[in-house]
Amino acid sequence: MMMRKSRIGVLTGGGDCAGLNPALKWVVKTAMDERLEWERGVRYEVLGIRDGWKGLTDIDPKTWDSAGHIVTLNPDTVRTWDRYGGTMLGTSRFSPYDPKNECAALVTENIERLGLEAVIVIGGDGTLAIGTRLAREGVNIIGIPKTIDRDLPETDYTLGYETALNVIVEEVDRLRTTAGSHKRIFVVETMGRDAGWLALEGGEACGAYIILIPEYEFSYDRVNELVTEGRRAGTRYEIIIAAEGAKPKGGAEVVRKKETDSFGRKSLGGVGEVIAKEIEKSTQLETRSVVLSHLQRGGAPCAYDRRMGRYYGIAAVDLVVNHKYGNMVRLKNGKISSYPLEKIYGKLNLVDVNTQYDADRYNGRRSILYHAEK
Ligand code: F6P
């Protein structure tokens, strides 16, 4: 039988998180599986592209192998990668469509020069949106969803999310003992950008007293009321989880700096401290804030992210083998499947306040089947 040769590329873009390395490992192992290649009639070579889309802007076609942005991967190179957090390929928040530095044509040219039949793109909304735009220009793209924000639509899972939730739970467990000893309120700021998933589900998992999410503007009066109610009932301390994008009624998000990134996005951060000060001023109860920040993106992937990285990596190669380009792999209703990237372009998956949030207690919902089964 004739064995066709093909070369594919893989990159990680946007913010790093746990789960990227397991996905990289299984892309490489699946693509280069010697048993499977006889069945497929194709022998794949896999090139790792360093530093996200930036890695495709600076390539010398003659010396790509030694230019630094491109690395030849094989099952031996990636054997132990699934144990580690971050991304062995590096990442960047670089967009070839940034109007200040438009270079999409160069990226397409370099993909051709490298002889890549397809590029597997592991990223969140920004990175996958770039993939979608390149796909419109004829590049064969497959997406793997990742982001601790879990804000990509049409998938029940994005790599990194479960590990980030575990960080929130671990850190809040640690805070509880010191908060209780000193009778303090702690406002714990989580990431998530415009989506409240990390705050809501992290808060549910760690048993937070109050959870503030971007999807529902909170009132300081209600927060103070809930806190004093708790103290009257005998609590010694309160844990309040605030998403970085949470805002008071009629107020704005708190930003770390004025400039936006190359995707035109704000850099959020600092709302936890603002809220802590307001609560302390109104209730006279000692209130501190803790920003979990990039701790949520760090550390080794939990078991779920290792498994999901594996399944997504394998499924992405399956799509390449079947030439099902322009799709992202996903988890939907307990099954791994695929979905057109074009249909999620520019969309976000946010918390549905009506069904997923208790807007009176500022917490997770207390009825799950009641409304549905009545
Ligand atoms: O999208 C992932 C995320 O961690 C957001 O939750 C957060 O707002 C942002 O990235 C932070 O990005 P950076 O690491 O570039 O500051």
Side-chain angles (χ1 to χ4, degrees):
M1 186 176 105
M2 276 283 288
M3 180 74 76
R4 185 171 75 86
K5 286 199 178 153
S6 172
R7 188 183 286 159
I8 61 174
V10 61
L11 64 82
T12 52
D16 76 320
C17 64
L20 298 173
N21 285 323
L24 288 170
K25 168 173 169 169
W26 286 97
V27 162
V28 176
K29 275 182 76 83
T30 313
M32 301 185 76
D33 187 304
E34 281 177 12
R35 289 209 177 102
L36 289 177
E37 74 183 20
W38 288 107
E39 216 177 278
R40 298 167 180 155
V42 189
R43 176 162 298 157
Y44 288 107
E45 186 186 348
V46 185
L47 300 188
I49 298 151
R50 288 196 190 279
D51 302 333
W53 295 112
K54 192 161 186 29
L56 281 169
T57 58
D58 185 17
I59 284 162
D60 175 350
K62 290 194 201 84
T63 59
W64 58 260
D65 211 8
S66 56
H69 290 294
I70 304 299
V71 44
T72 312
L73 300 173
N74 64 52
D76 275 345
T77 340
V78 299
R79 193 170 53 83
T80 60
W81 283 17
D82 51 350
R83 298 160 211 175
Y84 303 107
T87 162
M88 295 295 193
L89 288 182
T91 184
S92 66
R93 290 208 185 274
F94 175 88
S95 167
Y97 291 101
D98 183 350
K100 281 183 248 132
N101 185 22
E102 164 87 48
C103 56
L106 177 64
V107 166
T108 319
E109 232 171 76
N110 281 335
I111 291 171
E112 240 169 73
R113 280 186 188 148
L114 290 169
L116 300 178
E117 181 177 338
V119 183
I120 297 179
V121 176
I122 312 176
D125 60 331
T127 305
L128 294 186
I130 293 167
T132 312
R133 292 177 73 174
L134 289 171
R136 286 177 196 159
E137 286 161 40
V139 182
N140 294 331
I141 298 282
I142 301 293
I144 295 183
K146 72 87 212 173
T147 165
I148 65 164
D149 305 343
R150 221 197 73 191
D151 58 357
L152 280 167
E154 299 298 338
T155 179
D156 295 339
Y157 197 65
T158 57
L159 296 178
Y161 181 67
E162 208 55 43
T163 304
L165 286 185
N166 287 338
V167 172
I168 296 172
V169 171
E170 275 162 31
E171 298 305 330
V172 169
D173 279 354
R174 225 176 278 277
L175 270 180
R176 283 183 184 283
T177 53
T178 171
S181 306
H182 289 265
K183 293 185 89 177
R184 283 173 176 153
I185 299 168
F186 269 91
V187 181
V188 180
E189 181 180 313
T190 59
M191 279 187 164
R193 227 186 273 279
D194 299 319
W197 297 113
L198 267 182
L200 178 59
E201 297 190 342
E204 286 175 339
C206 75
Y209 182 59
I210 291 176
I211 301 169
L212 305 174
I213 58 171
E215 293 86 345
Y216 190 81
E217 292 187 354
F218 65 90
S219 119
Y220 276 115
D221 286 347
R222 184 65 185 140
V223 170
N224 296 334
E225 215 170 78
L226 288 165
V227 167
T228 17
E229 212 175 81
R231 288 294 163 116
R232 271 204 304 271
T235 54
R236 279 184 67 84
Y237 72 96
E238 284 75 28
I239 299 289
I240 299 177
I241 303 278
E244 62 181 2
K247 40 193 177 306
K249 284 199 172 95
E253 294 153 328
V254 180
V255 291
R256 281 178 51 245
K257 52 180 184 193
K258 273 197 249 121
E259 303 79 48
T260 52
D261 66 12
S262 71
F263 295 85
R265 289 187 300 215
K266 298 176 198 164
S267 175
L268 301 176
V271 72
E273 183 58 13
V274 174
I275 296 172
K277 285 206 172 110
E278 283 292 329
I279 295 175
E280 188 167 276
K281 201 167 75 190
S282 309
T283 63
Q284 308 302 309
L285 295 167
E286 194 180 357
T287 309
R288 300 286 179 91
S289 74
V290 168
V291 186
L292 291 183
S293 187
H294 294 79
L295 288 174
Q296 294 157 103
R297 301 220 307 247
C302 66
Y304 193 66
D305 272 314
R306 294 185 202 198
R307 285 174 52 225
M308 290 307 298
R310 176 181 177 131
Y311 304 149
Y312 279 178
I314 293 172
V317 174
D318 286 344
L319 292 180
V320 172
V321 173
N322 291 309
H323 299 165
K324 294 260 165 39
Y325 304 125
N327 285 296
M328 101 179 157
V329 299
R330 65 168 180 172
L331 177 76
K332 198 73 188 166
N333 302 327
K335 288 208 173 97
I336 303 288
S337 56
S338 67
Y339 196 79
L341 281 168
E342 197 60 66
K343 289 197 182 167
I344 61 157
Y345 184 80
K347 295 184 186 151
L348 282 182
N349 166 31
L350 301 177
V351 173
D352 174 8
V353 173
N354 293 325
T355 58
Q356 290 161 322
Y357 186 65
D358 183 332
D360 177 45
R361 297 178 212 240
Y362 290 174
N363 212 303
R365 66 217 149 124
R366 290 280 175 95
S367 66
I368 292 173
L369 300 179
Y370 178 70
H371 292 292
E373 302 206 334
K374 236 191 335 186

